Amino acid sequence: MAAPPPQRRGRPRSAAADRAILDATRAALVEVGWSRLTMSEVAHRAGVAKTTLYRRWPAKNELVVDAVAVLFDELELPDRGSLRADVEGVVLSFAALLRRPETKTALMAVIAEATTDEALRGRIREAIVDRQKRLVLDGRSRAQARGELPPDGPDPEESCRVVDLIFDVIAGAVVHRSLVSDCPVDAEWAAAFTTLLLEGLGAVPPRS
């Protein structure tokens, strides 16, 4: 006779409580900034006990990264019919997300902290960067099925390097223009950037 399945200990996590905590974290960051953000403040805003908060996130760094990560998980890559249209669409969607105050404030805060915190850099890579590479994988696979890109070669590591490079180029350009240069990412810029990405430097005409 098979043994009964082990019983889980403690209360199950509440998705509603998690959402309330992450929402409260982003709201507090916008209002008080990183230096004044405390776990007590987040617990108060979310309407949960501090013990509930600490069971889920033992440190502020981890909490803020997850609060940012759920925003990036909202990004999608609908099929717009061509690789060019897909790239332009995701560039504009990404830029729109970065324009939201809660995204901009939280992302810049964790990046600044990560300059002196190796563990935090690793968490950012895992929770945000690696998860969002799904967009590159989906778009590239779709373009290959259309015949717009060649199929992957026999070396899976080389395919991973290509995906990493595509992600770095697109994400890096949009983040720099949006958050560092503080310039608009509009349809005209997205079209010019996509031309540069797909066709090279010689294909981008000078602006009149």
Side-chain angles (χ1 to χ4, degrees):
M1 182 174 179
Q7 298 295 314
R8 293 181 63 183
R9 296 182 179 180
R11 295 181 180 178
R13 287 184 63 152
S14 164
D18 285 355
R19 284 194 300 272
I21 291 168
L22 296 176
D23 289 347
T25 301
R26 293 190 299 271
L29 268 173
V30 172
E31 293 182 26
V32 305
W34 175 275
S35 62
R36 294 174 59 193
L37 179 71
T38 65
M39 300 291 270
S40 297
E41 172 74 12
V42 172
H44 175 72
R45 286 173 180 257
V48 300
K50 282 196 292 184
T51 53
T52 300
L53 181 58
Y54 277 108
R55 276 200 301 270
R56 289 160 163 78
W57 292 277
K60 181 172 77 172
N61 289 357
E62 298 174 3
L63 172 60
V64 174
V65 170
D66 284 359
V68 180
V70 297
L71 295 178
F72 283 94
D73 286 342
E74 296 175 10
L75 286 172
E76 297 180 351
L77 187 66
D79 190 343
R80 293 177 171 86
S82 70
L83 176 59
R84 175 177 293 277
D86 285 354
V87 173
E88 290 181 11
V90 78
V91 164
L92 292 171
S93 297
F94 185 31
L97 177 62
L98 293 177
R99 284 196 298 269
R100 291 164 56 176
E102 64 270 28
T103 311
K104 181 177 181 179
T105 303
L107 183 61
M108 293 185 77
V110 295
I111 290 175
E113 282 296 308
T115 58
T116 56
D117 188 333
E118 184 176 351
L120 180 57
R121 290 197 296 274
R123 189 169 180 85
I124 291 171
R125 282 194 301 271
E126 178 183 351
I128 300 175
V129 175
D130 289 345
R131 285 206 324 229
Q132 296 316 310
K133 287 178 183 176
R134 63 186 170 81
L135 299 172
V136 176
L137 290 168
D138 291 346
R140 189 163 176 259
S141 175
R142 189 183 296 159
Q144 288 170 332
R146 296 191 195 106
E148 296 172 298
L149 290 176
D152 288 344
D155 184 356
E157 291 187 1
E158 179 60 26
S159 296
C160 289
R161 285 193 289 269
V162 170
V163 169
D164 288 348
L165 181 58
I166 295 169
F167 180 87
D168 289 345
V169 169
I170 295 176
V174 178
V175 168
H176 187 278
R177 184 165 177 85
S178 299
L179 302 186
V180 180
S181 298
D182 194 25
C183 294
V185 175
D186 53 19
E188 181 182 9
W189 187 90
F193 171 74
T194 302
T195 296
L196 173 65
L197 181 68
L198 300 183
E199 301 179 33
L201 286 172
V204 181
R207 295 184 64 177
S208 57

